[in-house]
Amino acid sequence: MDIALDTSPYPGGLTTCEALYMGVPVVTLKGNRHGARFGYSFLANLGLQELVAEDAKGYVDIAVKIAGDSELLSLLRANLRRMMKVSPLMDSAGYMQALENIYEKCLFERFYR
């Protein structure tokens, strides 16, 4: 598989992450609500906003453009897994620390305010 085309209006979640982790670039359409923006969020966290379309025409244009760029596809295939590993998407320690900080702040505000 050279490119994954994210579904709309309900984008992939785990399947999108798995494709990216396996080195397959994903083209997605930026939705207008939380549940329709997962693909956008994943790609933004990887610094790949250029794979996010604002509308249906842009979605097709992006897919056609990268399908014709064998050098870009090779670079993405070679680097997407590393990009995932160093991104916030896979920073479980950082995520847990931020979550714990929020819990502590909530507790502090509730009991010491």
Side-chain angles (χ1 to χ4, degrees), residues 88 90-101:
M90 295 185 75
D91 181 10
S92 58
Y95 175 82
M96 287 309 299
Q97 184 61 59
L99 186 59
E100 288 172 0
N101 291 345

Side-chain angles (χ1 to χ4, degrees), residues 25-75:
V26 177
V27 177
T28 194
L29 184 61
K30 186 177 182 181
N32 59 4
R33 64 190 185 292
H34 170 75
R37 294 172 77 94
F38 289 119
Y40 164 70
S41 178
F42 299 152
L43 291 166
N45 274 284
L46 295 175
L48 294 173
Q49 293 93 324
E50 63 270 14
L51 299 181
V52 178
E54 297 289 333
D55 56 36
K57 181 184 180 322
Y59 180 84
V60 172
D61 291 346
I62 292 168
V64 168
K65 180 180 176 183
I66 66 170
D69 190 338
S70 59
E71 185 176 332
L72 175 60
L73 288 173
S74 293
L75 282 169

